[in-house]
Amino acid sequence: MTKVVVDPLTRIEGHLRVSTEVDDNGVITDAQSSGMLFRGIERIMMKRDPRDAARLVQRICGLCPTAQSMASVNALDDLFGVAESIPKDALVTRNIIQGLNTLTSHATHFYVLWMPDIVNPAYRDILATVDNTGPALWKELLSRFAPISYKMDGEAITPGAGYINAIKQKKNLEEAMALIGGKMPHQMSTIAGGVTYLPTVADIGKLTSYYLNLMDFVNTSTLSVGAETWLDNTFRASSPQKAVNFVMEHLQEVVDGSLASQNFSKAKGWGDLELFAAFGSELIGETLGLPATFKFDRTGQYAEDANVGYLTYGVFYDVENGDGYNPTEFGKSGFQQAAFINSSLEKKSFNHEYITEETTHAFYETDEGLHPFDGVTEPVRTADEISYEGGSDSKYTWMKAPRYNGIPCEVGPISRMLAMGEPLTVGLMNLFKDNGYSAANSFTRMIAKMQETLILSEQLLKWVTVDLDPNGKYYVDTDLKMAKDSEGIGLWEAPRGALGHWIKSGSDSMVTNFQMVVPTTWNASPRDKNGVAGPLEQALIGTKISAAENMMGIDNTNPTGILHTARSFDPCIACAVHTIDLSNKDKEQGTFT
Ligand code: NFE
Ligand code: MG
């Protein structure tokens, strides 16, 4: 038995430690996920004017601040009793700014955080031995996905085009967000009752040109067939089977046109997503007759008897139906679909009352399952209570353990796509399940994210060019007295998954409790009081430490299995750990102001 620890895991946000035990066959037999970043957000809201929430709590993170501001403002609309009267134009504006943030985040994760994994040196060595495809494929992968800092045998590798273009696209989308939000990150536009932004006709023109720049990126980098054709045949397919068939037939054509010539360039029909879809899966690659494939469908898998569900609260207001929204239930279809989906992929209704957080294995006073309205954030008080070495029976992380009806849940694009019944995601997940793979794995997580990117891009165009009205109404008046002795729920979806803020106020309308349960706290959760591991932990246990193992032997010093799996969840520890300790400023464990 060997202990393999990755600490810190790079190319994520914040500081995550993944600690594993690996047997002599390279199988991970135990795993702990630890959030190492101790900071402060929930407690700074206590006794404040609740309206501060929409400005302050988005400082939790620079990746998903927009989602945090949106969850807060949903909670405030509920607290002030105005949720059902928010004008449609304000809801459209909020949808646009969240859509831009989600697209930025996904482009960053796909190209900048995850794809450099595909040019891990282990794969160069493997591909070098694969006749007909290996070396040519390796060259093509480098030309697209190698990051700026990539060095191999002391030689600097030229940055990949996809990597560079994603960074340029991030700038494009953040400029668009700043147009609405005044600045980015930490936009200033969303307030209880609506938004402060009133779009002009010129602004709509500018937003449209940012949109065209985005679609240029999507259509020239991501897909050779163009987003519209792809979506017509996948997202709008009449069944999951038809969506999968389209993708397989399209990929087969591309494969047939390029294998003999060993040419995997865009000219031969390989967009970045197509390349990943064909070569990223052992199952799909073998079906297509590819001699070289990656095995990302074998990383990040749940065991057959996994105790994990998929959770989404729904996101984006249903602007077709006019003003207002229900804070606990956005709608019943599309992006607005809230759902709990069990490990057999059966969709159930959602009720926020089933959400609890436990701290049996986290560095807080032990709670064994409080609903966020009653949630407490009380860190342990002495440094000797904080150790990351104790193993799964001890406390080992700053992340709490959220549960839905007692069940750990994976959140993120894969859960949203499942809930909306997106045909390609549903079809692929069932295909893997029926072939003895886990439905959720590194491959399906990445495909679901790119599928959401395409669907959301299209939706964004409608919000910008059809729904946004320069003569609209953008807020309803609120008064602090309306928040007297009240409570509010803000449910939303951040790019990384289900995000909830819960707020309570007293007789002076000031905040008496504020709790946030964020996506990475779900995904990178520790054990709960029953010893059940979190989703990332369960996805690691039972898989191989070395995804490149087939030809290279077991390599504990390049634990590709851990890297792919952990990064496929797109973790953000800045969001996941958000504690403050104002009372022990002189103590060793660290304090924050
Ligand atoms: Ni800091 Fe966040 C997102 C939220 S993470 S990135 O998306 O909420 O868990
Ligand atoms: Mg919290």
Side-chain angles (χ1 to χ4, degrees):
M1 194 68 71
T2 311
K3 191 164 181 181
V4 178
V5 179
V6 180
D7 176 16
L9 179 73
T10 56
R11 279 194 276 112
I12 64 163
E13 167 58 38
H15 300 79
L16 178 68
R17 169 192 170 96
V18 180
S19 173
T20 63
E21 282 183 12
V22 182
D23 73 12
D24 295 342
N25 299 315
V27 176
I28 298 171
T29 55
D30 193 18
Q32 286 105 34
S33 136
S34 296
M36 317 284 288
L37 187 72
F38 179 69
R39 53 201 297 272
I41 291 290
E42 282 162 336
R43 289 175 59 144
I44 63 171
M45 277 310 300
M46 301 292 265
K47 299 185 183 162
R48 277 185 188 273
D49 185 323
R51 293 170 297 191
D52 288 353
R55 299 282 72 74
L56 292 183
V57 300
Q58 53 175 319
R59 263 73 188 174
I60 199 170
C61 184
L63 272 174
C64 65
T66 314
Q68 303 290 349
S69 69
M70 225 59 78
S72 276
V73 96
N74 279 351
L76 293 179
D77 290 339
D78 192 22
L79 188 85
F80 282 79
V82 296
E84 287 172 32
S85 42
I86 307 296
K88 176 188 161 183
D89 301 303
L91 301 181
V92 170
T93 309
R94 291 181 184 179
N95 279 356
I96 292 170
I97 193 162
Q98 180 60 58
L100 291 165
N101 173 237
T102 301
L103 291 167
T104 311
S105 186
H106 286 2
T108 305
H109 183 248
F110 188 78
Y111 284 101
V112 180
L113 302 177
W114 203 89
M115 271 299 160
D117 264 349
I118 214 168
V119 291
N120 186 297
Y123 299 123
R124 172 199 53 185
D125 299 344
I126 291 175
L127 290 175
T129 69
V130 180
D131 291 345
N132 299 326
T133 53
L137 177 61
W138 176 250
K139 222 171 131 201
E140 189 63 36
L141 293 173
L142 283 178
S143 77
R144 298 174 189 230
F145 303 123
I148 294 167
S149 57
Y150 199 76
K151 270 195 172 181
M152 196 169 278
D153 300 335
E155 184 193 342
I157 304 292
T158 314
Y163 187 94
I164 295 296
N165 287 338
I167 293 170
K168 288 184 185 158
Q169 189 50 230
K170 184 170 166 131
K171 177 171 179 285
N172 177 60
L173 293 170
E174 299 231 327
E175 276 180 21
M177 273 184 270
L179 180 68
I180 300 178
K183 63 194 268 295
M184 191 62 205
H186 310 127
Q187 57 85 18
M188 302 299 284
S189 180
T190 46
I191 54 164
V195 296
T196 59
Y197 169 74
L198 307 174
T200 64
V201 173
D203 287 351
I204 294 172
K206 275 191 207 158
L207 284 169
T208 307
S209 73
Y210 287 121
Y211 172 81
L212 293 174
N213 185 313
L214 165 72
M215 289 321 290
D216 197 37
F217 168 70
V218 168
N219 284 320
T220 57
S221 293
T222 310
L223 287 168
S224 67
V225 288
E228 205 178 318
T229 305
W230 180 274
L231 288 176
D232 277 346
N233 290 285
T234 58
F235 178 49
R236 283 184 280 278
S238 56
S239 71
Q241 189 59 52
K242 286 204 169 133
V244 172
N245 289 350
F246 165 77
V247 168
M248 292 304 288
E249 282 161 22
H250 168 61
L251 292 178
Q252 191 71 62
E253 257 176 51
V254 184
V255 167
D256 292 346
S258 61
L259 261 198
S261 59
Q262 292 196 53
N263 183 340
F264 304 102
S265 69
K266 295 207 167 81
K268 284 283 182 182
W270 292 103
D272 295 336
L273 176 57
E274 287 145 333
L275 202 66
F276 178 76
F279 288 91
S281 159
E282 178 181 40
L283 177 66
I284 290 180
E286 285 185 357
T287 309
L288 295 170
L290 286 169
T293 55
F294 295 85
K295 302 183 191 311
F296 299 128
D297 51 12
R298 291 217 171 268
T299 64
Q301 292 209 88
Y302 296 124
E304 210 171 306
D305 57 353
N307 188 358
V308 175
Y310 305 88
L311 184 70
T312 172
Y313 302 154
V315 64
F316 301 120
Y317 309 97
D318 183 5
V319 293
E320 304 298 329
N321 290 324
D323 299 343
Y325 67 97
N326 177 336
T328 62
E329 193 180 357
F330 286 107
K332 300 223 179 287
S333 63
F335 276 115
Q336 286 94 34
Q337 174 80 59
F340 168 78
I341 293 149
N342 68 19
S343 56
S344 309
L345 305 184
E346 293 159 343
K347 189 153 71 174
K348 314 277 181 184
S349 61
F350 165 76
N351 182 343
H352 87 95
E353 287 170 10
Y354 286 137
I355 297 167
T356 56
E357 280 193 307
E358 307 178 13
T359 55
T360 316
H361 294 285
F363 302 130
Y364 304 91
E365 298 301 325
T366 298
D367 294 319
E368 294 201 328
L370 297 175
H371 182 272
F373 265 142
D374 306 315
V376 177
T377 303
E378 192 61 44
V380 295
R381 292 287 165 178
T382 61
D384 60 14
E385 290 174 276
I386 299 165
S387 162
Y388 301 96
E389 299 291 343
S392 46
D393 293 335
S394 65
K395 289 182 184 286
Y396 58 87
T397 177
W398 285 105
M399 285 180 279
K400 295 181 179 178
R403 294 293 181 265
Y404 182 80
N405 206 8
I407 299 171
C409 291
E410 171 159 0
V411 299
I414 201 169
S415 304
R416 289 193 286 267
M417 293 300 100
L418 265 182
M420 75 156 69
E422 196 288 300
L424 182 60
T425 308
V426 171
L428 285 174
M429 289 179 80
N430 278 297
L431 179 73
F432 286 119
K433 192 156 79 71
D434 295 345
N435 281 277
Y437 294 75
S438 163
N441 53 50
S442 299
F443 181 79
T444 46
R445 273 181 207 110
M446 298 305 290
I447 295 280
K449 169 164 293 166
M450 292 312 280
Q451 194 67 359
E452 178 169 73
T453 300
L454 299 169
I455 297 167
L456 183 55
S457 302
E458 193 174 65
Q459 180 63 63
L460 185 67
L461 178 66
K462 181 173 171 294
W463 289 329
V464 169
T465 58
V466 179
D467 294 327
L468 201 57
D469 178 2
N471 303 308
K473 180 169 161 49
Y474 283 84
Y475 62 91
V476 289
D477 288 329
T478 56
D479 182 281
L480 190 55
K481 288 195 227 49
M482 294 159 73
K484 184 171 177 299
D485 289 319
S486 187
E487 56 183 40
I489 303 170
L491 299 180
W492 195 247
E493 288 279 318
R496 282 156 201 74
L499 171 65
H501 290 182
W502 283 261
I503 187 168
K504 279 185 168 179
S505 55
S507 57
D508 58 356
S509 295
M510 295 296 131
V511 177
T512 58
N513 201 8
F514 194 90
Q515 288 285 309
M516 325 166 68
V517 184
V518 315
T520 297
T521 320
W522 284 100
N523 286 334
S525 151
R527 264 71 169 172
D528 57 29
K529 61 176 181 249
N530 299 317
V532 177
L536 167 56
E537 293 176 334
Q538 289 199 45
L540 284 165
I541 294 168
T543 59
K544 292 284 181 85
I545 183 82
S546 188
E549 185 216 327
N550 54 347
M551 301 187 72
M552 305 304 294
I554 299 161
D555 183 1
N556 288 339
T557 66
N558 182 10
T560 42
I562 296 178
L563 306 180
H564 305 328
T565 297
R567 288 184 182 131
S568 74
F569 284 89
D570 196 1
C572 173
I573 313 306
C575 283
V577 180
H578 37 261
T579 309
I580 191 166
D581 178 358
L582 292 174
S583 59
N584 277 329
K585 287 198 170 167
D586 54 342
K587 295 237 173 105
E588 189 185 327
Q589 72 217 47
T591 56
F592 302 84
T593 54

